[in-house]
């Protein structure tokens, strides 16, 4: 691997899989059980891209760490029970991962989701082995939009964030990638181009995405 080879870091929900509709349904069902009302604005601006330990207290107020863990586990189990990764793949991801591997591009996943979700989704899609590192919510003290997860993912790849490319679909995730110093490619599965702006590039999915397009981003941003 050349020292000037970029690292590529993927968010998971909304980037590798179209999972946000299932997350939204799970959250709505979860909130209904607990008599909590969640607006679309809350979902988009204060929940997507953030960790459970950050958004759950915003709904439930000051709660014990034990209760927070139980609530988070309940919500994520509801999500996994209804979500089938194989039926919700972001188009072109398998081919794109294979192209990166063939060109010795190091790859990581950096998700705000818990490790159980990452294991479930990546293993069901048989893509775990593509990644040199997989970081989940347990690996960070502060979730997105803080850049911590992308700084740590870059380090796990042996790269500076400035020589990495981040794929993100959430507003908080784009901000995290940019704050880390990476080039950010917005994936418009959850938000519009206008909502995700500014990014180095925008894509709907990974079809027709060429290697030279992303390498140029890492060297010219």
């Amino acid at each position: 691997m050349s020292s000037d080879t970029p690292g590529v870091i993927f968010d998971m929900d909304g980037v590798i899989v179209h999972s946000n509709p299932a997350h939204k349904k799970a959250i709505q069902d979860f909130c209904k059980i607990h008599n909590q009302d969640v607006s679309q604005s809350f979902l988009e601006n204060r929940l997507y891209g953030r960790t459970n330990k950050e958004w759950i207290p915003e709904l439930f107020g000051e709660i014990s760490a034990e209760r927070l863990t139980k609530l988070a586990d309940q919500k994520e189990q509801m999500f996994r029970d209804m979500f089938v990764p194989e039926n919700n793949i972001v188009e072109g991801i398998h081919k794109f991962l294979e192209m990166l591997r063939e060109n010795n591009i190091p790859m990581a996943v950096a998700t705000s989701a818990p490790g159980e979700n990452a294991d479930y989704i990546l293993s069901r899609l048989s893509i775990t082995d593509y990644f040199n590192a997989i970081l989940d919510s347990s690996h960070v003290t502060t979730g997105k939009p803080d850049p911590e997860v992308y700084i740590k993912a870059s380090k796990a790849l042996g790269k500076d964030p400035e020589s990495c490319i981040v794929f993100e679909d959430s507003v908080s995730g784009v901000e995290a990638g940019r704050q880390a110093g990476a080039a950010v490619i917005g994936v418009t599965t959850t938000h519009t181009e206008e909502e995700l702006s500014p990014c180095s590039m925008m894509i709907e999915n990974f079809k027709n995405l060429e290697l030279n397009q992303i390498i140029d981003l890492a060297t010219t941003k």
Side-chain angles (χ1 to χ4, degrees):
M1 182 177 69
S2 169
S3 60
D4 59 358
T5 301
V8 177
I9 307 172
F10 298 85
D11 176 42
M12 184 177 71
D13 292 303
V15 171
I16 292 172
V17 285
H18 289 286
S19 51
N20 283 326
H23 274 297
K24 180 179 178 180
K25 180 67 165 64
I27 290 163
Q28 289 172 331
D29 291 351
F30 167 81
C31 288
K32 191 172 183 179
I33 290 170
H34 295 283
N35 298 312
Q36 297 287 342
D37 186 30
V38 178
S39 68
Q40 184 64 29
S41 175
F42 182 91
L43 288 171
E44 291 182 356
N45 299 311
R46 296 166 65 191
L47 193 153
Y48 290 149
R50 301 179 72 205
T51 62
N52 287 322
K53 67 183 179 183
E54 289 172 323
W55 71 262
I56 287 178
E58 290 193 22
L59 281 186
F60 289 84
E62 195 171 325
I63 54 176
S64 68
E66 182 181 13
R67 176 151 168 74
L68 174 55
T69 298
K70 286 183 177 179
L71 288 169
D73 288 348
Q74 180 188 31
K75 179 262 165 180
E76 296 304 342
Q77 188 61 59
M78 292 171 73
F79 163 73
R80 290 191 295 272
D81 286 347
M82 70 173 66
F83 184 67
V84 182
E86 303 95 305
N87 296 343
N88 293 278
I89 301 167
V90 174
E91 200 171 3
I93 186 67
H94 277 99
K95 185 177 178 182
F96 185 68
L97 292 173
E98 187 60 36
M99 179 180 68
L100 294 182
R101 181 157 69 179
E102 288 174 355
N103 286 275
N104 299 311
I105 305 292
M107 293 174 269
V109 168
T111 177
S112 298
E116 293 87 349
N117 287 17
D119 291 343
Y120 172 67
I121 289 171
L122 300 178
S123 63
R124 286 281 290 262
L125 298 182
S126 301
I127 59 175
T128 307
D129 291 345
Y130 282 98
F131 301 106
N132 303 71
I134 298 170
L135 282 76
D136 57 56
S137 61
S138 70
H139 294 96
V140 297
T141 303
T142 309
K144 304 168 187 176
D146 189 276
E148 181 184 2
V149 71
Y150 285 123
I151 292 170
K152 286 185 173 179
S154 301
K155 186 176 181 181
L157 295 180
K159 300 289 181 182
D160 293 324
E162 291 79 11
S163 61
C164 288
I165 298 150
V166 163
F167 285 93
E168 261 291 354
D169 72 302
S170 72
V171 174
S172 60
V174 167
E175 185 177 342
R178 285 172 52 81
Q179 283 194 42
V184 180
I185 297 178
V187 186
T188 58
T189 54
T190 309
H191 292 276
T192 64
E193 290 190 10
E194 291 75 19
E195 289 170 331
L196 287 184
S197 181
C199 287
S200 300
M201 181 180 177
M202 297 280 187
I203 60 172
E204 292 182 20
N205 54 51
F206 295 90
K207 281 183 64 181
N208 307 316
L209 186 58
E210 300 295 338
L211 185 63
N212 67 308
Q213 291 176 278
I214 66 165
I215 288 180
D216 288 347
L217 285 184
T219 56
T220 60
K221 71 172 189 301

